[in-house]
């Protein structure tokens, strides 16, 4: 299903949306991370702040919708952003790591995986990762497809 079709299904079921949406995939493991969102485990993500300015992209904001894509650019679900904070990489805390839902959900695992990912992303952009690099920490919840009681 395309992002456009999922958005039409979502708005048809919920009524006209007051906002538009962005369609994007999680980095690293789009399929696995989208699956964690569908399972209700992943309710947060983090991205490298310096790349937003470099790519001319606005920061996410609370109240925005996103259609999450898999590795084949197929729509998986719609999320609603609840909160966004920009913090130094070294200040990302245990709660955010837990909400990201990856691995054992520990801060140690989050740091290991994200440092490697951020180093790679920054190097590809000709930038250098540092411990004080600003990170965009986004919290969200899935709003479509609706989870049935037996799925929760």
């Amino acid at each position: 299903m395309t992002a456009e079709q999922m958005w039409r299904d979502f708005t048809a079921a919920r009524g006209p949306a007051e906002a538009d949406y962005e369609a994007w995939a999680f980095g690293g493991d789009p399929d696995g991370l989208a699956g964690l969102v569908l399972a209700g485990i992943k309710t947060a993500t983090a991205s490298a702040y310096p790349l937003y300015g470099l790519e001319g992209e606005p920061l996410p904001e609370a109240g925005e919708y996103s259609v999450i894509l898999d590795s084949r650019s197929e729509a998986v679900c719609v999320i609603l952003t609840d909160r966004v904070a920009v913090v130094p990489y070294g200040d990302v805390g245990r709660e955010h790591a837990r909400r990201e839902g990856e691995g054992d959900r520990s801060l140690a695992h989050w740091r290991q995986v994200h440092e490697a990912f951020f180093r790679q992303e920054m190097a590809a952009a000709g930038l250098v990762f540092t411990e004080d690099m600003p990170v965009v920490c986004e919290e969200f919840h899935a709003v479509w497809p609706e989870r049935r009681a037996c799925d929760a």
Side-chain angles (χ1 to χ4, degrees):
M1 170 183 296
T2 66
E4 294 82 10
Q5 182 60 50
M6 180 165 279
W7 186 251
R8 281 194 301 270
D9 291 352
F10 169 66
T11 58
R14 293 281 186 97
E18 296 177 12
D20 206 2
Y21 69 95
E22 293 289 325
W24 50 272
F26 292 106
D29 179 16
D31 298 335
L33 298 176
L36 291 175
V37 174
L38 282 175
I41 296 168
K42 182 172 184 63
T43 60
T45 194
S47 49
Y49 177 84
L51 299 180
Y52 285 89
L54 193 65
E55 297 169 359
E57 292 288 325
L59 291 179
E61 294 182 18
E64 291 180 337
Y65 291 95
S66 297
V67 175
I68 300 302
L69 306 174
D70 65 15
S71 61
R72 296 171 311 284
S73 295
E74 293 287 322
V76 175
C77 62
V78 178
I79 63 170
L80 177 61
T81 300
D82 298 315
R83 182 176 177 271
V84 178
V86 178
V87 300
Y89 171 85
D91 290 349
V92 173
R94 286 184 174 88
E95 180 58 20
H96 184 83
R98 185 192 67 74
R99 290 184 63 135
E100 286 222 24
E102 300 171 40
D104 64 4
R105 301 176 76 179
S106 70
L107 182 58
H109 177 39
W110 185 92
R111 289 201 190 287
Q112 177 185 5
V113 170
H114 283 78
E115 181 174 338
F117 180 73
F118 289 149
R119 282 188 185 281
Q120 181 180 13
E121 273 196 320
M122 296 293 283
L127 302 172
V128 177
F129 167 84
T130 63
E131 286 276 326
D132 62 350
M133 178 189 82
V135 173
V136 180
C137 295
E138 182 177 353
E139 297 175 5
F140 58 81
H141 67 281
V143 295
W144 188 261
E146 293 178 325
R147 294 177 67 194
R148 298 182 310 266
C150 61
D151 293 338

